[in-house]
Amino acid sequence: MQPSLLLSALAPLVLASPSTAPFPHPSAKILYTAERTFFENIAFRSNGHLLLNALTSPSIYTLDPHPPFLTPQLLTQIPDANGLTGIAEPFPDLFVVNAAVWNLSNLTAAPNTTAVWAVDLRSPGEVGLRKVVAPKGDVKLNGMEEKGVVLIADSLGAVWSVDVLSGETEVVTRDELLKPEAQGAPLGVNGLHVRDGWLYFSSSGKRTFARVRIDSQGRKVGNVQVVARLEAENGALLDRVYDDFAFDRRGNAWITAHDNLLAVVTPEGKQRVLFEGNQTLFDEPTNAVFGRGSEEEERTLYVTTGGTSGVYHGQIAAVKI
């Protein structure tokens, strides 16, 4: 989540040499473009279809990314909201999403409008909706991860855990790196995922990719370690901002970054920038997910974009690695 209008207010970032990361150059293509839509998040279902949500709509769409079925279909709409952010799958075909009334001019959610909803797709042809919890006050729920409990990034500076069955919530992690910058983007922690006992997260405001040890409930049990920042080989700062990300099976993090690139970070923290400057292919990328179920799908990264070059025109792209 990072419409480009905020980039002018942000301090640039810092990145490892593109030549140090041992990756072949992947290929990519646009599968679908939607006018007046800012795609925000994406999930891959066990049936091979994608779930898509947007900051510009309370609708959830499903898309078969394989020809000839390349048009999203409306799945359901979340009530009392005008936009959606994170999405996760805590149980097979039971998804959760964040919903709120969003002001896209300053990326704020109206107080007391945020809710976490369960979207139940376990019965063929039916969609069940249930409000799990509605936090009170000023929150900015963003990326999500499912590891026993659902972990949710609060871009104001914290990580929440939510029990999908009981609705119980807890703020499990706070840290300075999770907070926004006072004079920069109004977003701190953005995307998050758990791997090998570490909570990895991207911070838009701090322009940092970092990690911290957590326990089984997602509580912080160690100090935050910075893994990477967006910086050029010559030390010059890049005018780019991390958004959400996905891990491949080798542990490399594929991070979307505004306004038009992917950054690949190895487990050792080496980083390579891909597709930089290709506004047609990646116009404000927001999130990514790898397919599953076959070798080909596990090597396919599906990417959402907002497309804020003038007018929102969100894209769904497929990257073959």
Side-chain angles (χ1 to χ4, degrees), residues 1 38-42 51-61 74 76-87 96-102 104 113 115-117 119 129 141-144 286:
M1 174 204 303
F38 187 97
F39 284 124
E40 168 63 13
N41 223 300
I42 186 171
L51 289 186
L52 308 167
N53 63 22
L55 267 178
T56 48
S57 168
S59 301
I60 300 176
Y61 295 91
L74 177 64
T76 189
Q77 290 187 314
I78 304 299
D80 305 318
N82 69 355
L84 309 177
T85 54
I87 186 169
V96 286
V97 299
N98 298 323
V101 175
W102 284 93
L104 295 186
T113 67
V116 179
W117 286 80
V119 182
L129 290 179
L141 301 188
N142 204 333
M144 307 177 84
T286 55

Side-chain angles (χ1 to χ4, degrees), residues 91-277:
F91 303 100
D93 269 338
L94 179 66
F95 293 83
V96 286
V97 299
N98 298 323
V101 175
W102 284 93
N103 182 339
L104 295 186
S105 66
N106 59 11
L107 282 185
T108 58
N112 302 316
T113 67
T114 297
V116 179
W117 286 80
V119 182
D120 193 343
L121 305 181
R122 292 176 292 186
S123 298
E126 299 180 9
V127 179
L129 290 179
R130 175 175 60 87
K131 185 183 290 186
V132 176
V133 64
K136 299 299 182 183
D138 190 14
V139 296
K140 196 177 290 186
L141 301 188
N142 204 333
M144 307 177 84
E145 169 73 319
E146 65 282 348
K147 289 295 177 183
V149 294
V150 173
L151 300 178
I152 306 179
D154 180 351
S155 291
L156 295 180
V159 176
W160 294 51
S161 71
V162 175
D163 187 310
V164 176
L165 300 180
S166 69
E168 293 182 4
T169 63
E170 178 185 353
V171 175
V172 291
T173 299
R174 293 188 186 275
D175 192 89
E176 283 298 314
L177 272 180
L178 300 173
K179 296 179 181 180
E181 283 290 326
Q183 302 301 320
L187 299 172
V189 57
N190 196 318
L192 49 78
H193 292 286
V194 175
R195 189 175 181 88
D196 299 329
W198 293 89
L199 175 67
Y200 288 80
F201 65 89
S202 56
S203 171
S204 295
K206 306 294 187 184
R207 302 186 173 210
T208 299
F209 182 59
R211 68 178 189 173
V212 63
R213 279 283 185 189
I214 59 172
D215 65 17
S216 61
Q217 297 302 305
R219 300 184 185 94
K220 174 183 171 183
V221 294
N223 296 323
V224 172
Q225 301 177 4
V226 173
V227 179
R229 289 189 173 99
L230 275 173
E231 181 179 74
E233 184 176 2
N234 62 2
L237 298 175
L238 298 179
D239 190 16
R240 300 291 184 266
V241 179
Y242 286 135
D243 205 310
D244 215 326
F245 62 97
F247 282 111
D248 66 24
R249 55 189 177 181
R250 296 182 177 179
N252 301 308
W254 293 70
I255 313 172
T256 59
H258 298 270
D259 54 358
N260 53 17
L261 61 84
L262 290 177
V264 188
V265 180
T266 70
E268 298 77 31
K270 295 181 179 181
Q271 185 167 208
R272 177 181 177 186
V273 168
L274 303 172
F275 304 111
E276 184 177 12

